[in-house]
């Protein structure tokens, strides 16, 4: 459901959410993202998520 790595601050750093089919759809209710990355590649018909930091690439560590 998510991944982490040294580039994201290690095990205690950022998590990259990989949403998909879930047995419990409410599981994502407590996992609201904090930012959006690679926004220059977002398709034009999808708007930014209100309240999230926007980054053109990887956010600073």
């Amino acid at each position: 459901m998510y991944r982490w790595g040294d580039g994201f601050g290690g095990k205690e750093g950022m998590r990259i959410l990989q949403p998909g089919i879930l047995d419990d759809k409410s599981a994502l209710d407590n996992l609201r993202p904090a930012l959006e990355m690679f926004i220059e590649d977002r398709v034009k018909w999808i708007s930014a998520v209100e309240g999230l930091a926007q980054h053109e690439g990887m956010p600073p560590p």
Side-chain angles (χ1 to χ4, degrees):
M1 299 310 301
Y2 64 87
R3 69 184 186 100
W4 55 269
D6 292 338
F8 303 115
K11 195 170 188 176
E12 300 304 319
M14 244 187 311
R15 300 286 196 264
I16 304 302
L17 182 63
Q18 298 174 330
I21 298 173
L22 299 172
D23 291 334
D24 180 6
K25 292 185 288 185
S26 67
L28 290 178
D29 289 340
N30 296 322
L31 297 174
R32 188 179 195 295
L35 57 91
E36 290 186 274
M37 301 185 302
F38 305 105
I39 60 171
E40 71 275 7
D41 295 327
R42 180 189 300 132
V43 294
K44 301 299 179 203
W45 49 268
I46 295 180
S47 58
V49 177
E50 185 178 336
L52 296 188
Q54 304 290 305
H55 294 275
E56 290 184 1
M58 289 295 292

